[in-house]
Amino acid sequence: MPSFSPPDPHPSGARPPAIPAQFVPQHVAVVMDGNGRWANERGLPRNEGHKAGEASLVDVVAGAIEMGIPYVSAYAFSTENWKRSLDEVSFIMRFTVDVLTRQLPTLQSWGVRILWAGRKPKLWKSVIKQLEFCEEQTKDNTACTLVMCVNYGGRAEIADAAAQIAHDVSEGKVKPGDISERKFAQYLYNPEVPDVDLFLRSSGEQRTSNFLLWQSAYAEMIFFDILWPDVDRLTLWDAVEEYARRDRRYGGAQDAIASPSDSSTHSSGK
Ligand code: IPE
Ligand code: IPE
Ligand code: MG
């Protein structure tokens, strides 16, 4: 039986905010953006920013474990990132293998289960091999699930699910009339991973860039101006505190009629 130990506390000694369990997100999606700008601002090439971002990811996972967040999805390489220079793409491919190799013992010691979400075509064989090795090595871990999204695209995932459903219909395994939202979700890359509660993006950009489109239909979005290499678990905890204050209505509505004495706070100024 492997023995697990919790992550070391944050170097500042900070502890996670005390938030009632029902307001802790079950799935946090993280767009790790801003590495290139972080490096260029320091007169360094973009790849130095990717290197500096490794510690941020590990610290955010530590913070998720400390807060009891069961699922974290990390956007590491999108289906659109192949547009970058050959130098940068090759670096990211090799670096992804290195990060997984370097961090596996730590993640394993914390009890983290690693999953991969993404498409195989085009992705380097060495990356697929290492992702699958990590999945196998950590499959029984229960402290937190880290979904590494590599060669991932939300539209690709939905198109792949549709293609697989069409295949199963053609084989008579599924009837067209049985295709519901629930059925469709069973064809996503990791169907057991719940919908995204909290969608985070660093670097100030306010867009999804094709991340977890299906799963984020009702996610709370938080965009912050910090570049990814400057993010750590404190950034995650701040975001979770804001998330806990949000009113999630899912399309529902309830009367909350102001009493006459409150009316001055909502007056139109007339
Ligand atoms: C995110 O940082 C990492 C990847 C997309 C692989 P960027 O490389 O996009 O950094 P910026 O956004 O150009 O600063
Ligand atoms: C999204 O960031 C992809 C990852 C963080 C892996 P990008 O930097 O690729 O997205 P855009 O180009 O700003 O939309
Ligand atoms: Mg970017």
Short mmCIF file of all heavy atoms in Angstrom, two decimals, residues 158-194:
data_model
loop_
_atom_site.label_atom_id
_atom_site.label_comp_id
_atom_site.label_asym_id
_atom_site.label_seq_id
_atom_site.Cartn_x
_atom_site.Cartn_y
_atom_site.Cartn_z
N ILE A 158 -16.46 17.54 -28.56
CA ILE A 158 -17.89 17.38 -28.91
C ILE A 158 -18.02 16.66 -30.26
O ILE A 158 -18.85 15.75 -30.42
CB ILE A 158 -18.58 18.76 -28.90
CG1 ILE A 158 -18.65 19.29 -27.46
CG2 ILE A 158 -19.98 18.67 -29.51
CD1 ILE A 158 -19.02 20.76 -27.33
N ALA A 159 -17.16 17.03 -31.22
CA ALA A 159 -17.21 16.36 -32.53
C ALA A 159 -16.83 14.88 -32.40
O ALA A 159 -17.46 14.01 -33.03
CB ALA A 159 -16.26 17.07 -33.51
N ASP A 160 -15.83 14.58 -31.57
CA ASP A 160 -15.43 13.18 -31.37
C ASP A 160 -16.57 12.38 -30.73
O ASP A 160 -16.81 11.23 -31.09
CB ASP A 160 -14.18 13.09 -30.49
CG ASP A 160 -12.91 13.55 -31.22
OD1 ASP A 160 -12.97 13.76 -32.45
OD2 ASP A 160 -11.86 13.69 -30.54
N ALA A 161 -17.27 13.00 -29.79
CA ALA A 161 -18.40 12.33 -29.14
C ALA A 161 -19.50 12.06 -30.17
O ALA A 161 -20.06 10.95 -30.24
CB ALA A 161 -18.94 13.18 -27.99
N ALA A 162 -19.78 13.07 -31.02
CA ALA A 162 -20.83 12.91 -32.04
C ALA A 162 -20.45 11.79 -33.00
O ALA A 162 -21.31 10.96 -33.38
CB ALA A 162 -21.02 14.22 -32.79
N ALA A 163 -19.18 11.72 -33.39
CA ALA A 163 -18.73 10.67 -34.32
C ALA A 163 -18.89 9.29 -33.70
O ALA A 163 -19.32 8.34 -34.37
CB ALA A 163 -17.28 10.91 -34.71
N GLN A 164 -18.58 9.18 -32.42
CA GLN A 164 -18.68 7.88 -31.74
C GLN A 164 -20.15 7.47 -31.58
O GLN A 164 -20.50 6.30 -31.75
CB GLN A 164 -17.98 7.96 -30.38
CG GLN A 164 -17.82 6.62 -29.68
CD GLN A 164 -17.04 5.58 -30.49
OE1 GLN A 164 -15.99 5.90 -31.06
NE2 GLN A 164 -17.56 4.36 -30.59
N ILE A 165 -21.01 8.45 -31.30
CA ILE A 165 -22.44 8.14 -31.20
C ILE A 165 -22.96 7.67 -32.57
O ILE A 165 -23.68 6.67 -32.67
CB ILE A 165 -23.26 9.36 -30.70
CG1 ILE A 165 -22.90 9.67 -29.25
CG2 ILE A 165 -24.76 9.10 -30.83
CD1 ILE A 165 -23.54 10.94 -28.70
N ALA A 166 -22.54 8.38 -33.63
CA ALA A 166 -22.99 8.00 -34.98
C ALA A 166 -22.54 6.57 -35.29
O ALA A 166 -23.29 5.77 -35.85
CB ALA A 166 -22.41 8.97 -36.01
N HIS A 167 -21.32 6.24 -34.88
CA HIS A 167 -20.80 4.89 -35.07
C HIS A 167 -21.66 3.87 -34.33
O HIS A 167 -22.05 2.83 -34.89
CB HIS A 167 -19.34 4.85 -34.60
CG HIS A 167 -18.72 3.49 -34.67
ND1 HIS A 167 -18.66 2.64 -33.59
CD2 HIS A 167 -18.16 2.83 -35.70
CE1 HIS A 167 -18.09 1.51 -33.96
NE2 HIS A 167 -17.76 1.59 -35.24
N ASP A 168 -21.98 4.18 -33.07
CA ASP A 168 -22.78 3.25 -32.27
C ASP A 168 -24.21 3.12 -32.81
O ASP A 168 -24.82 2.05 -32.74
CB ASP A 168 -22.79 3.67 -30.79
CG ASP A 168 -21.47 3.35 -30.10
OD1 ASP A 168 -20.58 2.75 -30.76
OD2 ASP A 168 -21.31 3.68 -28.91
N VAL A 169 -24.73 4.22 -33.38
CA VAL A 169 -26.06 4.14 -34.01
C VAL A 169 -25.99 3.22 -35.23
O VAL A 169 -26.85 2.35 -35.43
CB VAL A 169 -26.57 5.56 -34.41
CG1 VAL A 169 -27.79 5.46 -35.33
CG2 VAL A 169 -26.91 6.38 -33.17
N SER A 170 -24.93 3.38 -36.02
CA SER A 170 -24.82 2.57 -37.24
C SER A 170 -24.69 1.08 -36.91
O SER A 170 -25.07 0.22 -37.69
CB SER A 170 -23.63 3.03 -38.10
OG SER A 170 -22.42 2.63 -37.49
N GLU A 171 -24.15 0.77 -35.73
CA GLU A 171 -24.02 -0.62 -35.31
C GLU A 171 -25.25 -1.11 -34.54
O GLU A 171 -25.27 -2.23 -34.03
CB GLU A 171 -22.79 -0.78 -34.42
CG GLU A 171 -21.51 -0.42 -35.14
CD GLU A 171 -20.37 -1.35 -34.85
OE1 GLU A 171 -20.20 -1.70 -33.67
OE2 GLU A 171 -19.68 -1.74 -35.80
N GLY A 172 -26.25 -0.23 -34.39
CA GLY A 172 -27.48 -0.61 -33.70
C GLY A 172 -27.36 -0.62 -32.18
O GLY A 172 -28.26 -1.07 -31.48
N LYS A 173 -26.24 -0.07 -31.64
CA LYS A 173 -26.07 -0.08 -30.18
C LYS A 173 -26.85 1.06 -29.51
O LYS A 173 -27.13 1.01 -28.31
CB LYS A 173 -24.58 0.09 -29.82
CG LYS A 173 -23.72 -1.10 -30.17
CD LYS A 173 -22.29 -0.86 -29.66
CE LYS A 173 -21.30 -1.78 -30.33
NZ LYS A 173 -19.94 -1.23 -30.33
N VAL A 174 -27.11 2.12 -30.26
CA VAL A 174 -27.84 3.28 -29.72
C VAL A 174 -28.93 3.65 -30.72
O VAL A 174 -28.69 3.63 -31.93
CB VAL A 174 -26.87 4.48 -29.53
CG1 VAL A 174 -27.62 5.74 -29.14
CG2 VAL A 174 -25.80 4.17 -28.50
N LYS A 175 -30.11 3.99 -30.20
CA LYS A 175 -31.18 4.47 -31.10
C LYS A 175 -31.13 5.99 -31.15
O LYS A 175 -30.94 6.63 -30.10
CB LYS A 175 -32.55 4.04 -30.55
CG LYS A 175 -32.80 2.54 -30.57
CD LYS A 175 -34.31 2.31 -30.39
CE LYS A 175 -34.61 0.98 -29.75
NZ LYS A 175 -34.24 0.84 -28.34
N PRO A 176 -31.33 6.59 -32.33
CA PRO A 176 -31.29 8.07 -32.40
C PRO A 176 -32.20 8.72 -31.37
O PRO A 176 -31.83 9.73 -30.76
CB PRO A 176 -31.75 8.37 -33.83
CG PRO A 176 -31.37 7.16 -34.61
CD PRO A 176 -31.52 5.99 -33.67
N GLY A 177 -33.35 8.12 -31.11
CA GLY A 177 -34.29 8.70 -30.15
C GLY A 177 -33.79 8.67 -28.72
O GLY A 177 -34.35 9.33 -27.84
N ASP A 178 -32.75 7.89 -28.46
CA ASP A 178 -32.22 7.78 -27.09
C ASP A 178 -31.13 8.82 -26.80
O ASP A 178 -30.57 8.85 -25.71
CB ASP A 178 -31.60 6.40 -26.85
CG ASP A 178 -32.67 5.32 -26.80
OD1 ASP A 178 -33.86 5.68 -26.63
OD2 ASP A 178 -32.32 4.14 -26.96
N ILE A 179 -30.78 9.62 -27.81
CA ILE A 179 -29.67 10.57 -27.61
C ILE A 179 -30.19 11.81 -26.86
O ILE A 179 -30.95 12.60 -27.42
CB ILE A 179 -29.00 10.98 -28.94
CG1 ILE A 179 -28.48 9.72 -29.65
CG2 ILE A 179 -27.85 11.95 -28.68
CD1 ILE A 179 -28.06 9.95 -31.08
N SER A 180 -29.80 11.88 -25.62
CA SER A 180 -30.20 13.01 -24.76
C SER A 180 -28.91 13.71 -24.31
O SER A 180 -27.81 13.24 -24.60
CB SER A 180 -30.91 12.47 -23.52
OG SER A 180 -30.03 11.57 -22.84
N GLU A 181 -29.05 14.81 -23.56
CA GLU A 181 -27.85 15.46 -23.01
C GLU A 181 -27.07 14.48 -22.14
O GLU A 181 -25.84 14.41 -22.20
CB GLU A 181 -28.25 16.70 -22.20
CG GLU A 181 -28.74 17.83 -23.09
CD GLU A 181 -29.11 19.08 -22.30
OE1 GLU A 181 -28.60 19.28 -21.18
OE2 GLU A 181 -29.92 19.87 -22.82
N ARG A 182 -27.81 13.75 -21.31
CA ARG A 182 -27.15 12.80 -20.41
C ARG A 182 -26.40 11.72 -21.20
O ARG A 182 -25.26 11.39 -20.89
CB ARG A 182 -28.20 12.15 -19.51
CG ARG A 182 -27.64 11.19 -18.48
CD ARG A 182 -28.79 10.45 -17.81
NE ARG A 182 -29.52 11.31 -16.90
CZ ARG A 182 -29.28 11.38 -15.59
NH1 ARG A 182 -28.34 10.63 -15.06
NH2 ARG A 182 -29.98 12.17 -14.83
N LYS A 183 -27.05 11.20 -22.25
CA LYS A 183 -26.43 10.16 -23.09
C LYS A 183 -25.19 10.73 -23.78
O LYS A 183 -24.14 10.10 -23.83
CB LYS A 183 -27.45 9.69 -24.13
CG LYS A 183 -26.98 8.56 -25.00
CD LYS A 183 -27.23 7.26 -24.27
CE LYS A 183 -26.58 6.09 -24.94
NZ LYS A 183 -26.48 4.95 -24.01
N PHE A 184 -25.33 11.93 -24.32
CA PHE A 184 -24.22 12.56 -25.05
C PHE A 184 -23.00 12.70 -24.13
O PHE A 184 -21.87 12.41 -24.53
CB PHE A 184 -24.65 13.94 -25.58
CG PHE A 184 -23.69 14.52 -26.57
CD1 PHE A 184 -23.85 14.29 -27.94
CD2 PHE A 184 -22.60 15.27 -26.14
CE1 PHE A 184 -22.95 14.80 -28.86
CE2 PHE A 184 -21.69 15.78 -27.06
CZ PHE A 184 -21.87 15.55 -28.41
N ALA A 185 -23.26 13.14 -22.89
CA ALA A 185 -22.14 13.39 -21.95
C ALA A 185 -21.36 12.10 -21.66
O ALA A 185 -20.18 12.16 -21.32
CB ALA A 185 -22.68 14.01 -20.66
N GLN A 186 -22.01 10.97 -21.84
CA GLN A 186 -21.30 9.69 -21.61
C GLN A 186 -20.23 9.45 -22.67
O GLN A 186 -19.39 8.57 -22.52
CB GLN A 186 -22.29 8.51 -21.60
CG GLN A 186 -23.17 8.50 -20.36
CD GLN A 186 -24.36 7.54 -20.50
OE1 GLN A 186 -24.50 6.84 -21.50
NE2 GLN A 186 -25.21 7.54 -19.49
N TYR A 187 -20.27 10.20 -23.77
CA TYR A 187 -19.30 10.01 -24.85
C TYR A 187 -18.15 11.03 -24.79
O TYR A 187 -17.31 11.06 -25.68
CB TYR A 187 -20.01 10.10 -26.21
CG TYR A 187 -20.79 8.84 -26.55
CD1 TYR A 187 -22.08 8.65 -26.04
CD2 TYR A 187 -20.25 7.85 -27.36
CE1 TYR A 187 -22.80 7.50 -26.34
CE2 TYR A 187 -20.95 6.71 -27.67
CZ TYR A 187 -22.23 6.53 -27.16
OH TYR A 187 -22.94 5.39 -27.46
N LEU A 188 -18.14 11.87 -23.78
CA LEU A 188 -17.03 12.83 -23.65
C LEU A 188 -15.77 12.08 -23.22
O LEU A 188 -15.82 10.90 -22.86
CB LEU A 188 -17.41 13.92 -22.65
CG LEU A 188 -18.63 14.77 -23.08
CD1 LEU A 188 -19.07 15.70 -21.96
CD2 LEU A 188 -18.34 15.56 -24.35
N TYR A 189 -14.61 12.75 -23.27
CA TYR A 189 -13.33 12.04 -23.02
C TYR A 189 -13.30 11.37 -21.64
O TYR A 189 -12.83 10.25 -21.51
CB TYR A 189 -12.14 13.00 -23.14
CG TYR A 189 -11.90 13.54 -24.54
CD1 TYR A 189 -11.51 14.86 -24.73
CD2 TYR A 189 -12.04 12.72 -25.66
CE1 TYR A 189 -11.27 15.36 -26.01
CE2 TYR A 189 -11.81 13.22 -26.95
CZ TYR A 189 -11.41 14.55 -27.11
OH TYR A 189 -11.18 15.04 -28.37
N ASN A 190 -13.74 12.07 -20.61
CA ASN A 190 -13.74 11.49 -19.25
C ASN A 190 -15.12 11.68 -18.64
O ASN A 190 -15.35 12.61 -17.86
CB ASN A 190 -12.68 12.17 -18.38
CG ASN A 190 -11.27 11.83 -18.82
OD1 ASN A 190 -10.88 10.67 -18.83
ND2 ASN A 190 -10.51 12.83 -19.23
N PRO A 191 -16.06 10.79 -19.01
CA PRO A 191 -17.46 11.02 -18.62
C PRO A 191 -17.69 11.10 -17.12
O PRO A 191 -18.67 11.69 -16.68
CB PRO A 191 -18.21 9.83 -19.23
CG PRO A 191 -17.21 8.95 -19.87
CD PRO A 191 -15.87 9.59 -19.83
N GLU A 192 -16.80 10.51 -16.34
CA GLU A 192 -17.06 10.53 -14.88
C GLU A 192 -16.69 11.87 -14.24
O GLU A 192 -17.04 12.12 -13.08
CB GLU A 192 -16.34 9.37 -14.18
CG GLU A 192 -14.91 9.64 -13.77
CD GLU A 192 -13.89 9.37 -14.88
OE1 GLU A 192 -14.25 9.43 -16.08
OE2 GLU A 192 -12.73 9.12 -14.55
N VAL A 193 -15.99 12.73 -14.97
CA VAL A 193 -15.60 14.03 -14.41
C VAL A 193 -16.82 14.95 -14.44
O VAL A 193 -17.45 15.12 -15.48
CB VAL A 193 -14.42 14.63 -15.21
CG1 VAL A 193 -14.08 16.03 -14.71
CG2 VAL A 193 -13.19 13.71 -15.12
N PRO A 194 -17.19 15.54 -13.30
CA PRO A 194 -18.41 16.36 -13.26
C PRO A 194 -18.27 17.68 -14.03
O PRO A 194 -17.17 18.07 -14.41
CB PRO A 194 -18.60 16.65 -11.76
CG PRO A 194 -17.25 16.52 -11.15
CD PRO A 194 -16.50 15.51 -11.98
#
